[in-house]
Amino acid sequence: MPEVVRTGSDSFPYKPAPQQPVGRPAYAALPALWAIVVLVLTLTPANEMPNTPSWELLSFDTAAHAGVFALLAALSWFSMRRQRRWPRLARHPGMVVLVGCILFGGLIEILQFAMNLGRHAEWTDVLGDSIGAALVLGMTTAWAARSVRLRSSAV
């Protein structure tokens, strides 16, 4: 028997409760949660951050940024491929994810500069973010193209 909801109507005092639609998992939650973790970690005050020379392009810090943003890009790509609201975006999410990751990395650096938390805003961090996102998006795009070719040749 369906659950009933009481209404103020005298003619029909009870109506069935609306059924919850069986929906897709909230894929957008994956990249959103990871983005929150990244924000918390990058905006936490740090008194003893290691200083790296400005000429050092591929330091541990840059590699860490690349890894963190590679995961963000992978989760975002997966999420956009699974959404159904914008079919064209689901077919070609790469550029949107790349631009979003670069802008997010830039926002983090601006916040680190503006909030005066003992963190240093560095362009090499944004470069590391971009490299990590671009590498993963290149791999996922190649994987998706290969999957399409395999499916079309199997038919």
Side-chain angles (χ1 to χ4, degrees):
M1 177 172 210
E3 180 181 313
V4 292
V5 177
R6 183 160 180 91
T7 65
S9 170
D10 291 335
S11 62
F12 189 70
Y14 297 101
K15 69 176 184 177
Q19 297 293 322
Q20 292 295 333
V22 177
R24 302 180 196 278
Y27 291 113
L30 295 171
L33 289 173
W34 184 245
I36 290 169
V37 168
V38 170
L39 274 176
V40 168
L41 292 175
T42 57
L43 298 179
T44 300
N47 297 331
E48 298 181 16
M49 290 294 294
N51 290 331
T52 57
S54 59
W55 55 266
E56 189 176 339
L57 181 61
L58 293 176
S59 65
F60 173 78
D61 185 50
T62 304
H65 275 266
V68 165
F69 274 78
L71 181 56
L72 179 63
L75 292 173
S76 299
W77 185 87
F78 174 77
S79 178
M80 287 201 178
R81 291 281 294 191
R82 299 291 182 237
Q83 61 85 23
R84 297 292 176 243
R85 182 172 291 170
W86 299 288
R88 186 172 180 180
L89 181 60
R91 287 189 306 272
H92 307 287
M95 190 56 68
V96 173
V97 172
L98 180 61
V99 170
C101 285
I102 293 170
L103 291 175
F104 184 59
L107 174 68
I108 288 171
E109 297 306 314
I110 290 169
L111 290 173
Q112 285 178 344
F113 176 76
M115 294 176 73
N116 197 16
L117 297 172
R119 298 280 188 145
H120 304 346
E122 297 177 4
W123 72 269
T124 55
D125 290 348
V126 178
L127 181 62
D129 302 341
S130 304
I131 289 170
L135 286 174
V136 163
L137 290 172
M139 289 187 299
T140 56
T141 302
W143 173 76
R146 182 176 183 270
S147 297
V148 168
R149 278 194 314 269
L150 289 175
R151 271 187 267 142
S152 65
S153 68
V155 174

